Amino acid sequence: MRNKNNDGCRDLSLRQTARFLKKHDNYIILTHASPDGDTLGSAFALYYGLKEIGKVACVICPDVIPEKYNYFARPTDHVQRNDATVIAVDVADKRLLGGLQDDFGDIVDLNIDHHISNVRFAKNLYLDADAAATAESMYELLSVMKVNINDVTAKALYTGIATDTGCFKYSNVTAKTHIITSQLYEYNINAPEINRIMFDTKSRKLLELERMVLDASEFHFDGRCILLPVTAEMQEKTGCSGTELEGIAVISRSVEGVVAGVTIKQTDDSEFKISLRTYPPLDASEICKKIGGGGHKGAAGASLTGNLDEVKAKVLGAVEEVMEEAYAGSGTRK
Amino acid sequence: MRNKNNDGCRDLSLRQTARFLKKHDNYIILTHASPDGDTLGSAFALYYGLKEIGKVACVICPDVIPEKYNYFARPTDHVQRNDATVIAVDVADKRLLGGLQDDFGDIVDLNIDHHISNVRFAKNLYLDADAAATAESMYELLSVMKVNINDVTAKALYTGIATDTGCFKYSNVTAKTHIITSQLYEYNINAPEINRIMFDTKSRKLLELERMVLDASEFHFDGRCILLPVTAEMQEKTGCSGTELEGIAVISRSVEGVVAGVTIKQTDDSEFKISLRTYPPLDASEICKKIGGGGHKGAAGASLTGNLDEVKAKVLGAVEEVMEEAYAGSGTRK
């Protein structure tokens, strides 16, 4: 159906992907590292789908699967690596396989993904970049395969869709996202409970970190900029690290009147990682470019060295410069 | 289609409601007091729908319409009260008409609502208690009326549905909710922007209040109970009051491991309002009953007098009692 590209990666249509999955018997399904609800939900939905048609399959995750996904993530089969067909789900780049990259990075037979940035590392690729989540494609795939979907499969798929859309909030949501979700509601998915686990549960240590960060927060430029410092001491005291810190960036982009939300995360004695979220007329990438970083219009980042006060001054200087240009001429906002 | 009840209120079917709306010419559309996205979204969607078929209509809200709804709430027609047909939307009880109750409470010709608790105060009632939002019913009504839906109407309807479902998170969501929403995506609704306004915008004063409340927060019973005091001083210092304080209750029910989230809001010198959110095996109404209050299984409340320490002790005593019963026998949780 689709033409072969000029690289070693063959594009498959949905039907070709379905046929591919029916053809083989033993599958290893890989998720990306730091697994989220979409890679896990898609992987387990595929696993349950393959089991329904008598295949042997296992799900391998480069990292420990967080306990909160236990409502759909369960022990899978044991599969010999040698005679297995290797499938990656929601993995845009083999580097995202983390610790599994060496073993599997170059032998992925089929990749099922929705990232427009997919680097085509697998032998075969089903890519629907219009899908809000890989789980959306997975639902369509299981439907085309006429595989029975059970309640647990539906929970896994719902989790994937809800994760990647911020519970239907983001700009990747389409009419199709809602149609597929309406079909998942035909199963016993207990969506409110999934959403509570995914969106309304905050660890006590993150709450404690938020308290400290808010205590140290600063407003600048008539409330148009909020600055949230996450020092090494705060991270140590609360035990919050890694992806847990992402909760702080959420604050930076949700305060009324703020057009520049700056999170300054200390990564070493005199090293800081800047995360910037902006709203029009500000351009985050423009601001971060001034301090040696880069990114997108609404979200960008940079790395700076110095002490916290020096780093604050550098970031605020860049914000001020771009703010002055952006508001030049609009006397009321200045 | 439906039988007349034995009260003065006649139940209408969707088709009868559509016919009713086509029959008259001048409409006053009423929302409930402290207006939210559903009452406003439904009222304005109805307004735009009636305009499409040549009617004269105005929307009257008992309170000032918050500015954030300006993307769909616009000035409406001027309608003489005497020759107008009065419609209430999303109003379960005439008391919810607030300042409009005296003028309109007893002369509502048609009520369009989705609250199971509707007290049937209007002459005619279209009630779909299975609808997640009145806006869901409004979409169906406009569809049955074959009224043209434009982008602004679709924005209003989306706002209503998103509001009452917590952006598709709550237990009132059904397959139909998602199907209707998928149809609203055919219009230019810019859902991400609506969701940002509705769900991801926090006032600076609420952020400041949150900071104070977190500073004063306490964990009890091995982290299973969080206590959030909102003193009069905090409310005064930040200028937060009324519905703005509801943001605090959200914290009380979202901390990992917490099964009893207590918000203690000072309402006068020695008067406090308790809001309690619980998760199984705790029953919020059971706890609040012990301190003279009541409510539902997952959310209940009470009023207490005394100083803050006394009130805290009373609430914690009630929580402890019910907790002991609930965990009796389950040695691992105790």
Side-chain angles (χ1 to χ4, degrees), chain B residues 136-187:
Chain B
E136 215 180 286
S137 299
M138 200 55 79
Y139 175 82
E140 293 186 294
L141 188 58
L142 296 180
S143 303
V144 167
M145 289 170 73
K146 298 201 192 330
V147 161
N148 180 50
I149 289 179
N150 60 36
D151 290 347
V152 176
T153 313
K155 279 176 201 242
L157 292 170
Y158 180 88
T159 302
I161 293 173
T163 299
D164 269 23
T165 60
C167 209
F168 307 96
K169 267 200 267 183
Y170 301 157
S171 57
N172 56 356
V173 173
T174 64
K176 193 159 96 174
T177 313
H178 281 287
I179 290 169
I180 289 175
T181 304
S182 77
Q183 286 159 3
L184 295 176
Y185 263 81
E186 305 299 333
Y187 302 90

Short mmCIF file of all heavy atoms in Angstrom, two decimals, chain B residues 136-187:
data_model
loop_
_atom_site.label_atom_id
_atom_site.label_comp_id
_atom_site.label_asym_id
_atom_site.label_seq_id
_atom_site.Cartn_x
_atom_site.Cartn_y
_atom_site.Cartn_z
N GLU B 136 -24.62 18.64 27.22
CA GLU B 136 -24.78 17.42 26.43
C GLU B 136 -26.22 17.36 25.89
O GLU B 136 -26.43 17.12 24.70
CB GLU B 136 -24.50 16.21 27.35
CG GLU B 136 -23.82 15.05 26.67
CD GLU B 136 -23.57 13.89 27.64
OE1 GLU B 136 -22.66 14.02 28.49
OE2 GLU B 136 -24.27 12.88 27.55
N SER B 137 -27.18 17.63 26.77
CA SER B 137 -28.59 17.65 26.35
C SER B 137 -28.83 18.77 25.35
O SER B 137 -29.61 18.64 24.41
CB SER B 137 -29.51 17.87 27.56
OG SER B 137 -29.37 16.82 28.47
N MET B 138 -28.17 19.91 25.59
CA MET B 138 -28.37 21.06 24.71
C MET B 138 -27.91 20.74 23.29
O MET B 138 -28.55 21.13 22.32
CB MET B 138 -27.62 22.27 25.28
CG MET B 138 -28.09 23.60 24.77
SD MET B 138 -29.86 23.88 25.01
CE MET B 138 -29.90 24.34 26.73
N TYR B 139 -26.79 20.01 23.19
CA TYR B 139 -26.32 19.61 21.86
C TYR B 139 -27.36 18.74 21.17
O TYR B 139 -27.68 18.95 19.99
CB TYR B 139 -24.99 18.86 21.97
CG TYR B 139 -24.52 18.32 20.65
CD1 TYR B 139 -23.83 19.15 19.74
CD2 TYR B 139 -24.78 17.01 20.27
CE1 TYR B 139 -23.42 18.66 18.52
CE2 TYR B 139 -24.36 16.51 19.05
CZ TYR B 139 -23.68 17.34 18.17
OH TYR B 139 -23.28 16.86 16.95
N GLU B 140 -27.92 17.79 21.91
CA GLU B 140 -28.94 16.92 21.33
C GLU B 140 -30.18 17.69 20.92
O GLU B 140 -30.78 17.43 19.88
CB GLU B 140 -29.30 15.81 22.33
CG GLU B 140 -28.15 14.86 22.58
CD GLU B 140 -28.57 13.69 23.45
OE1 GLU B 140 -28.90 13.91 24.62
OE2 GLU B 140 -28.56 12.56 22.94
N LEU B 141 -30.53 18.66 21.77
CA LEU B 141 -31.71 19.47 21.49
C LEU B 141 -31.53 20.28 20.20
O LEU B 141 -32.40 20.29 19.33
CB LEU B 141 -31.95 20.41 22.69
CG LEU B 141 -33.22 21.22 22.71
CD1 LEU B 141 -34.45 20.32 22.66
CD2 LEU B 141 -33.27 22.08 23.98
N LEU B 142 -30.36 20.93 20.07
CA LEU B 142 -30.11 21.73 18.86
C LEU B 142 -30.07 20.82 17.63
O LEU B 142 -30.48 21.21 16.54
CB LEU B 142 -28.80 22.51 19.00
CG LEU B 142 -28.77 23.57 20.12
CD1 LEU B 142 -27.43 24.29 20.16
CD2 LEU B 142 -29.90 24.59 19.97
N SER B 143 -29.57 19.58 17.82
CA SER B 143 -29.52 18.64 16.71
C SER B 143 -30.93 18.24 16.28
O SER B 143 -31.24 18.22 15.08
CB SER B 143 -28.74 17.38 17.10
OG SER B 143 -27.44 17.72 17.50
N VAL B 144 -31.78 17.95 17.25
CA VAL B 144 -33.16 17.57 16.94
C VAL B 144 -33.89 18.74 16.29
O VAL B 144 -34.69 18.56 15.37
CB VAL B 144 -33.90 17.13 18.23
CG1 VAL B 144 -35.40 17.05 18.01
CG2 VAL B 144 -33.36 15.78 18.69
N MET B 145 -33.58 19.96 16.75
CA MET B 145 -34.20 21.16 16.16
C MET B 145 -33.65 21.46 14.77
O MET B 145 -34.12 22.35 14.09
CB MET B 145 -33.98 22.37 17.09
CG MET B 145 -34.77 22.33 18.38
SD MET B 145 -34.23 23.64 19.54
CE MET B 145 -34.93 25.10 18.73
N LYS B 146 -32.60 20.72 14.39
CA LYS B 146 -31.91 20.94 13.11
C LYS B 146 -31.44 22.39 12.97
O LYS B 146 -31.51 23.00 11.91
CB LYS B 146 -32.81 20.55 11.93
CG LYS B 146 -33.20 19.07 11.93
CD LYS B 146 -33.63 18.65 10.53
CE LYS B 146 -34.31 17.29 10.50
NZ LYS B 146 -33.91 16.32 11.51
N VAL B 147 -30.98 22.92 14.09
CA VAL B 147 -30.47 24.28 14.12
C VAL B 147 -29.00 24.27 13.74
O VAL B 147 -28.26 23.38 14.14
CB VAL B 147 -30.63 24.85 15.56
CG1 VAL B 147 -29.73 26.05 15.77
CG2 VAL B 147 -32.08 25.22 15.81
N ASN B 148 -28.59 25.22 12.95
CA ASN B 148 -27.18 25.33 12.58
C ASN B 148 -26.34 25.61 13.83
O ASN B 148 -26.64 26.50 14.61
CB ASN B 148 -26.99 26.46 11.56
CG ASN B 148 -25.55 26.62 11.16
OD1 ASN B 148 -24.89 25.64 10.81
ND2 ASN B 148 -25.07 27.85 11.23
N ILE B 149 -25.28 24.82 14.00
CA ILE B 149 -24.34 25.05 15.11
C ILE B 149 -23.11 25.74 14.52
O ILE B 149 -22.55 25.27 13.53
CB ILE B 149 -23.96 23.71 15.78
CG1 ILE B 149 -25.17 23.16 16.55
CG2 ILE B 149 -22.76 23.87 16.70
CD1 ILE B 149 -24.92 21.84 17.23
N ASN B 150 -22.72 26.86 15.11
CA ASN B 150 -21.51 27.51 14.62
C ASN B 150 -20.36 27.34 15.62
O ASN B 150 -20.53 26.70 16.65
CB ASN B 150 -21.78 28.99 14.30
CG ASN B 150 -22.24 29.75 15.54
OD1 ASN B 150 -21.77 29.48 16.64
ND2 ASN B 150 -23.15 30.69 15.35
N ASP B 151 -19.20 27.90 15.30
CA ASP B 151 -18.02 27.67 16.13
C ASP B 151 -18.22 28.13 17.58
O ASP B 151 -17.82 27.46 18.52
CB ASP B 151 -16.80 28.39 15.54
CG ASP B 151 -16.34 27.73 14.24
OD1 ASP B 151 -16.79 26.61 13.94
OD2 ASP B 151 -15.52 28.34 13.53
N VAL B 152 -18.87 29.30 17.73
CA VAL B 152 -19.05 29.84 19.09
C VAL B 152 -20.01 28.95 19.89
O VAL B 152 -19.79 28.67 21.07
CB VAL B 152 -19.55 31.30 19.04
CG1 VAL B 152 -19.82 31.81 20.45
CG2 VAL B 152 -18.52 32.18 18.35
N THR B 153 -21.08 28.50 19.23
CA THR B 153 -22.01 27.57 19.89
C THR B 153 -21.27 26.32 20.33
O THR B 153 -21.44 25.83 21.46
CB THR B 153 -23.14 27.17 18.92
OG1 THR B 153 -23.65 28.34 18.28
CG2 THR B 153 -24.26 26.44 19.64
N ALA B 154 -20.42 25.80 19.44
CA ALA B 154 -19.66 24.58 19.76
C ALA B 154 -18.71 24.82 20.93
O ALA B 154 -18.55 23.97 21.80
CB ALA B 154 -18.90 24.10 18.53
N LYS B 155 -18.09 26.00 20.97
CA LYS B 155 -17.21 26.34 22.10
C LYS B 155 -17.99 26.35 23.41
O LYS B 155 -17.52 25.87 24.45
CB LYS B 155 -16.59 27.74 21.90
CG LYS B 155 -15.39 27.78 20.96
CD LYS B 155 -14.94 29.23 20.77
CE LYS B 155 -14.12 29.38 19.51
NZ LYS B 155 -12.74 29.83 19.77
N ALA B 156 -19.18 26.94 23.37
CA ALA B 156 -20.01 27.02 24.57
C ALA B 156 -20.39 25.62 25.04
O ALA B 156 -20.30 25.30 26.23
CB ALA B 156 -21.27 27.85 24.27
N LEU B 157 -20.77 24.76 24.10
CA LEU B 157 -21.17 23.40 24.46
C LEU B 157 -19.99 22.60 25.00
O LEU B 157 -20.09 21.87 25.98
CB LEU B 157 -21.78 22.69 23.24
CG LEU B 157 -23.13 23.24 22.77
CD1 LEU B 157 -23.51 22.63 21.42
CD2 LEU B 157 -24.22 22.96 23.80
N TYR B 158 -18.83 22.74 24.34
CA TYR B 158 -17.64 22.03 24.81
C TYR B 158 -17.30 22.47 26.24
O TYR B 158 -16.98 21.65 27.10
CB TYR B 158 -16.45 22.28 23.88
CG TYR B 158 -15.21 21.54 24.35
CD1 TYR B 158 -14.96 20.23 23.94
CD2 TYR B 158 -14.30 22.13 25.23
CE1 TYR B 158 -13.84 19.54 24.40
CE2 TYR B 158 -13.19 21.45 25.70
CZ TYR B 158 -12.97 20.15 25.27
OH TYR B 158 -11.88 19.47 25.74
N THR B 159 -17.41 23.77 26.48
CA THR B 159 -17.10 24.31 27.82
C THR B 159 -18.00 23.67 28.87
O THR B 159 -17.54 23.29 29.96
CB THR B 159 -17.28 25.83 27.83
OG1 THR B 159 -16.43 26.39 26.83
CG2 THR B 159 -16.93 26.42 29.19
N GLY B 160 -19.28 23.56 28.55
CA GLY B 160 -20.22 22.95 29.49
C GLY B 160 -19.86 21.51 29.81
O GLY B 160 -19.81 21.10 30.98
N ILE B 161 -19.56 20.74 28.77
CA ILE B 161 -19.24 19.32 28.97
C ILE B 161 -17.93 19.18 29.73
O ILE B 161 -17.83 18.41 30.68
CB ILE B 161 -19.18 18.60 27.60
CG1 ILE B 161 -20.57 18.56 26.98
CG2 ILE B 161 -18.62 17.19 27.76
CD1 ILE B 161 -20.62 18.02 25.56
N ALA B 162 -16.91 19.96 29.33
CA ALA B 162 -15.60 19.86 29.99
C ALA B 162 -15.72 20.25 31.47
O ALA B 162 -15.14 19.61 32.34
CB ALA B 162 -14.58 20.73 29.27
N THR B 163 -16.50 21.30 31.74
CA THR B 163 -16.66 21.77 33.12
C THR B 163 -17.22 20.69 34.03
O THR B 163 -16.66 20.37 35.08
CB THR B 163 -17.63 22.97 33.17
OG1 THR B 163 -17.09 24.03 32.39
CG2 THR B 163 -17.84 23.45 34.61
N ASP B 164 -18.35 20.12 33.60
CA ASP B 164 -19.05 19.19 34.50
C ASP B 164 -18.40 17.81 34.58
O ASP B 164 -18.77 17.01 35.44
CB ASP B 164 -20.51 19.06 34.09
CG ASP B 164 -21.38 20.09 34.82
OD1 ASP B 164 -20.82 21.11 35.25
OD2 ASP B 164 -22.60 19.88 34.96
N THR B 165 -17.46 17.53 33.68
CA THR B 165 -16.80 16.22 33.72
C THR B 165 -15.36 16.34 34.22
O THR B 165 -14.63 15.35 34.21
CB THR B 165 -16.76 15.58 32.31
OG1 THR B 165 -16.02 16.46 31.43
CG2 THR B 165 -18.15 15.35 31.76
N GLY B 166 -14.94 17.54 34.65
CA GLY B 166 -13.54 17.72 35.04
C GLY B 166 -12.62 17.37 33.89
O GLY B 166 -11.61 16.71 34.07
N CYS B 167 -12.99 17.81 32.68
CA CYS B 167 -12.29 17.44 31.44
C CYS B 167 -12.24 15.91 31.29
O CYS B 167 -11.17 15.33 31.17
CB CYS B 167 -10.89 18.05 31.38
SG CYS B 167 -10.38 18.33 29.65
N PHE B 168 -13.42 15.30 31.32
CA PHE B 168 -13.60 13.87 31.00
C PHE B 168 -13.00 12.94 32.05
O PHE B 168 -12.74 11.78 31.78
CB PHE B 168 -13.03 13.56 29.61
CG PHE B 168 -13.59 14.48 28.56
CD1 PHE B 168 -12.91 15.62 28.15
CD2 PHE B 168 -14.86 14.24 28.03
CE1 PHE B 168 -13.46 16.50 27.23
CE2 PHE B 168 -15.41 15.10 27.11
CZ PHE B 168 -14.71 16.24 26.71
N LYS B 169 -12.83 13.47 33.28
CA LYS B 169 -12.22 12.66 34.33
C LYS B 169 -13.24 11.95 35.22
O LYS B 169 -12.95 10.92 35.79
CB LYS B 169 -11.35 13.57 35.23
CG LYS B 169 -9.90 13.63 34.80
CD LYS B 169 -9.02 14.11 35.94
CE LYS B 169 -8.82 15.59 35.91
NZ LYS B 169 -7.93 16.10 36.95
N TYR B 170 -14.43 12.54 35.38
CA TYR B 170 -15.33 12.08 36.43
C TYR B 170 -16.19 10.88 36.02
O TYR B 170 -16.25 10.49 34.85
CB TYR B 170 -16.25 13.22 36.87
CG TYR B 170 -15.55 14.43 37.42
CD1 TYR B 170 -16.17 15.67 37.42
CD2 TYR B 170 -14.25 14.35 37.93
CE1 TYR B 170 -15.54 16.80 37.92
CE2 TYR B 170 -13.61 15.48 38.44
CZ TYR B 170 -14.26 16.70 38.42
OH TYR B 170 -13.64 17.82 38.91
N SER B 171 -16.93 10.36 37.02
CA SER B 171 -17.70 9.15 36.80
C SER B 171 -18.99 9.40 36.02
O SER B 171 -19.67 8.45 35.64
CB SER B 171 -18.04 8.50 38.14
OG SER B 171 -18.74 9.41 38.95
N ASN B 172 -19.33 10.66 35.77
CA ASN B 172 -20.55 10.92 34.99
C ASN B 172 -20.32 10.79 33.48
O ASN B 172 -21.27 10.82 32.70
CB ASN B 172 -21.13 12.30 35.33
CG ASN B 172 -20.12 13.43 35.13
OD1 ASN B 172 -18.95 13.18 34.79
ND2 ASN B 172 -20.54 14.67 35.31
N VAL B 173 -19.07 10.65 33.06
CA VAL B 173 -18.76 10.53 31.63
C VAL B 173 -19.28 9.20 31.09
O VAL B 173 -19.13 8.16 31.73
CB VAL B 173 -17.24 10.62 31.40
CG1 VAL B 173 -16.89 10.33 29.94
CG2 VAL B 173 -16.72 11.99 31.80
N THR B 174 -19.91 9.25 29.92
CA THR B 174 -20.37 8.03 29.26
C THR B 174 -19.84 8.00 27.83
O THR B 174 -19.22 8.97 27.37
CB THR B 174 -21.91 7.98 29.18
OG1 THR B 174 -22.35 9.07 28.35
CG2 THR B 174 -22.55 8.12 30.56
N ALA B 175 -20.10 6.89 27.16
CA ALA B 175 -19.72 6.80 25.74
C ALA B 175 -20.32 7.98 24.97
O ALA B 175 -19.67 8.59 24.12
CB ALA B 175 -20.19 5.47 25.17
N LYS B 176 -21.57 8.32 25.31
CA LYS B 176 -22.25 9.41 24.60
C LYS B 176 -21.51 10.73 24.79
O LYS B 176 -21.46 11.54 23.86
CB LYS B 176 -23.70 9.51 25.08
CG LYS B 176 -24.57 10.38 24.21
CD LYS B 176 -26.05 10.04 24.39
CE LYS B 176 -26.70 10.97 25.37
NZ LYS B 176 -28.16 10.75 25.46
N THR B 177 -20.99 10.96 25.98
CA THR B 177 -20.24 12.21 26.22
C THR B 177 -19.11 12.34 25.20
O THR B 177 -18.90 13.42 24.61
CB THR B 177 -19.63 12.20 27.64
OG1 THR B 177 -20.62 11.79 28.58
CG2 THR B 177 -19.10 13.57 28.00
N HIS B 178 -18.38 11.25 25.00
CA HIS B 178 -17.26 11.30 24.06
C HIS B 178 -17.73 11.39 22.60
O HIS B 178 -17.09 12.04 21.78
CB HIS B 178 -16.36 10.08 24.25
CG HIS B 178 -15.43 10.21 25.43
ND1 HIS B 178 -14.32 11.05 25.42
CD2 HIS B 178 -15.44 9.63 26.65
CE1 HIS B 178 -13.69 10.96 26.58
NE2 HIS B 178 -14.35 10.12 27.35
N ILE B 179 -18.86 10.75 22.31
CA ILE B 179 -19.37 10.83 20.92
C ILE B 179 -19.77 12.27 20.61
O ILE B 179 -19.40 12.82 19.57
CB ILE B 179 -20.57 9.87 20.73
CG1 ILE B 179 -20.06 8.41 20.77
CG2 ILE B 179 -21.28 10.15 19.41
CD1 ILE B 179 -21.16 7.37 20.86
N ILE B 180 -20.52 12.90 21.51
CA ILE B 180 -20.94 14.28 21.29
C ILE B 180 -19.71 15.18 21.17
O ILE B 180 -19.62 16.05 20.30
CB ILE B 180 -21.88 14.75 22.43
CG1 ILE B 180 -23.24 14.05 22.30
CG2 ILE B 180 -22.05 16.28 22.41
CD1 ILE B 180 -24.20 14.34 23.44
N THR B 181 -18.73 14.97 22.04
CA THR B 181 -17.52 15.79 21.99
C THR B 181 -16.80 15.61 20.65
O THR B 181 -16.30 16.59 20.07
CB THR B 181 -16.59 15.43 23.16
OG1 THR B 181 -17.31 15.58 24.38
CG2 THR B 181 -15.38 16.35 23.18
N SER B 182 -16.76 14.38 20.16
CA SER B 182 -16.10 14.16 18.86
C SER B 182 -16.79 14.97 17.78
O SER B 182 -16.15 15.48 16.86
CB SER B 182 -16.09 12.67 18.51
OG SER B 182 -17.37 12.25 18.05
N GLN B 183 -18.12 15.13 17.91
CA GLN B 183 -18.85 15.92 16.91
C GLN B 183 -18.55 17.42 17.07
O GLN B 183 -18.50 18.16 16.09
CB GLN B 183 -20.34 15.60 17.00
CG GLN B 183 -20.62 14.21 16.41
CD GLN B 183 -21.91 13.57 16.88
OE1 GLN B 183 -22.68 14.15 17.62
NE2 GLN B 183 -22.14 12.34 16.43
N LEU B 184 -18.31 17.85 18.30
CA LEU B 184 -17.95 19.27 18.51
C LEU B 184 -16.57 19.58 17.94
O LEU B 184 -16.28 20.72 17.57
CB LEU B 184 -17.99 19.61 20.00
CG LEU B 184 -19.38 19.53 20.66
CD1 LEU B 184 -19.28 19.78 22.16
CD2 LEU B 184 -20.34 20.54 20.01
N TYR B 185 -15.72 18.57 17.85
CA TYR B 185 -14.39 18.77 17.25
C TYR B 185 -14.47 19.05 15.75
O TYR B 185 -13.46 19.43 15.15
CB TYR B 185 -13.49 17.55 17.52
CG TYR B 185 -12.58 17.73 18.72
CD1 TYR B 185 -13.06 17.53 20.01
CD2 TYR B 185 -11.26 18.14 18.57
CE1 TYR B 185 -12.24 17.71 21.11
CE2 TYR B 185 -10.43 18.32 19.67
CZ TYR B 185 -10.93 18.11 20.93
OH TYR B 185 -10.12 18.30 22.01
N GLU B 186 -15.64 18.85 15.14
CA GLU B 186 -15.78 19.20 13.73
C GLU B 186 -15.80 20.72 13.55
O GLU B 186 -15.63 21.23 12.45
CB GLU B 186 -17.06 18.58 13.14
CG GLU B 186 -17.19 17.07 13.32
CD GLU B 186 -16.07 16.28 12.64
OE1 GLU B 186 -15.51 16.78 11.65
OE2 GLU B 186 -15.74 15.18 13.14
N TYR B 187 -16.01 21.44 14.64
CA TYR B 187 -16.00 22.90 14.58
C TYR B 187 -14.66 23.42 15.07
O TYR B 187 -13.86 22.68 15.65
CB TYR B 187 -17.13 23.47 15.45
CG TYR B 187 -18.47 22.96 15.03
CD1 TYR B 187 -19.00 21.79 15.59
CD2 TYR B 187 -19.21 23.60 14.04
CE1 TYR B 187 -20.22 21.28 15.18
CE2 TYR B 187 -20.43 23.10 13.63
CZ TYR B 187 -20.92 21.94 14.20
OH TYR B 187 -22.13 21.44 13.78
#
